[in-house]
Amino acid sequence: ETGVTQSPTHLIKTRGQQVTLRCSSQSGHNTVSWYQQALGQGPQFIFQYYREEENGRGNFPPRFSGLQFPNYSSELNVNALELDDSALYLCASSQGGAGVDTQYFGPGTRLTVL
Amino acid sequence: QKEVEQNSGPLSVPEGAIASLNCTYSDRGSQSFFWYRQYSGKSPELIMFIYSNGDKEDGRFTAQLNKASQYVSLLIRDSQPSDSATYLCAVRRGNTPLVFGKGTRLSVIA
């Protein structure tokens, strides 16, 4: 157990809908990163939040957006869902700052878009 | 384009044998290297990280790094059926995002 929690566990949406995924970081961690993992692929970086500010973004369109709250929990929002958005969405928390910053993953949210 | 390459497998080894998982990366500036284990339907679990050339041992696991060859490996000694999973290699430059390979599926045969 990493202490990182995500909700919901599973979600089924239809194309065009919007979805919000949630993540609570491990105690003492101020950085949250979101990844998308399609079947048979490695996780792909979506974006990262550090102390409530986005400080890095991968190659994902603007319909993927996020927030980080003062308690360092985070949300991932996806608008106008497409079939290709079906994937496991992973949240990872870390301490941030200098040095080797190890990321610990939550259990993930499995999103299915029909 | 920063890339991390792994053989997708499956890599099949008998119980008790040594499993050797390999990973190459394209970004010479990569500074830290991670191995995650992912069971089917679950999230990645950190096994170990390494950032200096050479070997790093943790129980049955040994990570090996050769920055000149841009190569990192994970050895699993005395492999057990419970080690059957997908092993993800991830690399990082500074505090930039992790770049993952597609993973190698390991099957340990009892």
Side-chain angles (χ1 to χ4, degrees):
Chain A
E1 295 291 326
T2 62
V4 182
T5 62
Q6 291 187 245
S7 62
T9 306
H10 296 88
L11 204 51
I12 299 175
K13 291 286 189 178
T14 56
R15 197 169 46 181
Q17 286 188 310
Q18 177 266 343
V19 68
T20 297
L21 310 182
R22 295 178 175 83
C23 170
S24 291
S25 59
Q26 184 172 320
S27 177
H29 287 184
N30 56 23
T31 301
V32 171
S33 303
W34 286 93
Y35 293 84
Q36 179 195 66
Q37 187 177 24
L39 202 60
Q41 303 294 315
Q44 296 291 313
F45 174 72
I46 302 174
F47 43 57
Q48 181 181 81
Y49 281 86
Y50 172 66
R51 293 184 175 178
E52 302 180 62
E53 298 283 334
E54 183 181 298
N55 76 335
R57 188 177 183 92
N59 189 26
F60 280 82
R63 59 190 185 84
F64 285 78
S65 62
L67 283 173
Q68 187 178 34
F69 300 99
N71 66 354
Y72 303 131
S73 65
S74 178
E75 285 183 356
L76 164 65
N77 299 291
V78 188
N79 292 321
L81 285 166
E82 300 177 0
L83 297 179
D84 285 348
D85 295 334
S86 295
L88 179 67
Y89 287 85
L90 296 162
C91 159
S93 80
S94 55
Q95 287 182 314
V100 178
D101 186 34
T102 306
Q103 296 188 358
Y104 297 91
F105 285 90
T109 294
R110 173 74 62 186
L111 173 64
T112 301
V113 182
L114 302 176
Chain B
Q1 181 83 9
K2 299 173 186 175
E3 290 185 350
V4 177
E5 299 288 339
Q6 295 182 258
N7 188 320
S8 62
L11 172 66
S12 294
V13 300
E15 184 175 358
I18 296 175
S20 178
L21 304 161
N22 304 317
C23 170
T24 59
Y25 58 94
S26 63
D27 181 7
R28 281 200 169 274
S30 298
Q31 296 170 294
S32 50
F33 308 85
F34 302 82
W35 283 100
Y36 286 85
R37 176 176 64 197
Q38 187 173 27
Y39 292 111
S40 181
K42 302 295 185 182
S43 66
E45 171 193 6
L46 180 68
I47 299 174
M48 60 193 308
F49 66 86
I50 186 169
Y51 54 88
S52 298
N53 276 328
D55 295 1
K56 179 181 179 182
E57 187 174 318
D58 184 0
R60 295 187 296 113
F61 299 97
T62 299
Q64 299 176 317
L65 174 61
N66 184 326
K67 289 185 179 179
S69 299
Q70 294 177 245
Y71 177 91
V72 58
S73 65
L74 179 70
L75 301 179
I76 306 175
R77 289 181 300 281
D78 188 25
S79 295
Q80 301 297 310
S82 58
D83 294 326
S84 297
T86 296
Y87 289 80
L88 296 164
C89 171
V91 306
R92 192 173 194 186
R93 174 197 286 253
N95 278 332
T96 60
L98 289 171
V99 178
F100 283 86
K102 292 184 178 181
T104 297
R105 191 154 55 93
L106 172 66
S107 179
V108 180
I109 312 300

